[in-house]
């Protein structure tokens, strides 16, 4: 195992410095490699570089391409699921906002129906009408924002489906 690691390191070094000599020395009982003779017992190391044949390179390239394609498909699938989750969430928010707006309008209509048919009642009805407009504006802004985002997501979804 140690020889394999050393050979790998040397091979990596050799590919970077293709014309440099490598020397092996034993110093204090430990093997040392250097680009210059490091001791009197230095021996030049002959390195053999293994070059895989074309079929191995082709197979490796095909495998790498296959893996890259698989990763791309997984990323697209994950994005489709994320888009669908966001669509579901936005549609739910729109339904909730619509229900809340309807409930607030119903409560305001109930208050309005109790207004007396006099000046005070007319003032109360006017105030309630303004409140209803404010409620509508509040919820409509939320609904419009959610619908705008839904439009983007539907466009992304249809583009991905092509």
């Amino acid at each position: 195992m140690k020889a394999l690691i050393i050979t790998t390191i040397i091979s990596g070094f050799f590919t970077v410095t293709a014309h440099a000599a490598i020397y092996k020395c034993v110093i204090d009982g430990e093997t040392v490699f250097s680009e210059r003779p490091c001791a009197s017992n230095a021996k030049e190391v002959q390195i053999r570089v293994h070059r895989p044949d074309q079929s191995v390179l082709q197979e490796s390239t095909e495998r790498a391409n296959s893996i890259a394609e698989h990763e791309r498909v997984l990323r697209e699938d994950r994005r489709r699921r994320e888009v669908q989750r966001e669509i579901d969430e936005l549609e739910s928010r729109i339904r909730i906002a619509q229900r809340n707006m309807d409930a607030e309008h119903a409560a305001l209509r109930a208050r309005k129906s109790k207004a007396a048919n006099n000046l005070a009642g007319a003032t109360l009805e006017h105030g309630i009408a303004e409140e209803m407009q404010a409620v509508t504006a509040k919820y409509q802004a939320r609904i419009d924002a959610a619908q705008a985002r839904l439009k983007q997501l539907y466009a992304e979804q249809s583009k991905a489906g092509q």
Side-chain angles (χ1 to χ4, degrees), residues 3-126:
L4 178 63
I5 293 171
I6 292 172
T7 304
T8 304
I9 292 170
I10 292 172
S11 296
F13 179 76
F14 184 71
T15 57
V16 173
T17 58
H19 294 86
I22 298 178
Y23 295 91
K24 176 181 175 182
C25 308
V26 177
I27 300 175
D28 296 330
E30 292 201 28
T31 303
V32 178
F33 294 92
S34 175
E35 61 188 35
R36 286 181 236 119
C38 40
S40 60
N41 62 356
K43 295 181 184 171
E44 187 172 347
V45 177
Q46 298 299 319
I47 297 179
R48 290 176 277 150
V49 178
H50 172 69
R51 305 246 186 246
D53 61 33
Q54 194 61 30
S55 66
V56 172
L57 290 174
Q58 181 68 28
E59 182 182 328
S60 296
T61 301
E62 289 172 3
R63 185 174 291 144
N65 289 340
S66 173
I67 291 169
E69 176 64 16
H70 184 66
E71 288 175 344
R72 184 191 63 76
V73 168
L74 290 175
R75 276 193 306 276
E76 287 176 358
D77 186 49
R78 182 179 61 233
R79 181 60 188 153
R80 273 192 292 277
R81 287 191 313 271
E82 289 170 352
V83 166
Q84 189 57 54
R85 267 194 301 273
E86 190 172 352
I87 287 171
D88 294 344
E89 175 65 26
L90 287 168
E91 288 174 343
S92 174
R93 285 185 199 171
I94 290 170
R95 285 190 302 274
I96 290 169
Q98 189 66 50
R99 276 196 304 264
N100 289 344
M101 182 171 65
D102 292 345
E104 285 189 42
H105 280 162
L108 290 168
R109 279 192 298 276
R111 279 182 47 206
K112 189 175 181 181
S113 69
K114 295 178 183 176
N117 195 7
N118 58 25
L119 179 61
T123 305
L124 179 62
E125 282 183 8
H126 180 72

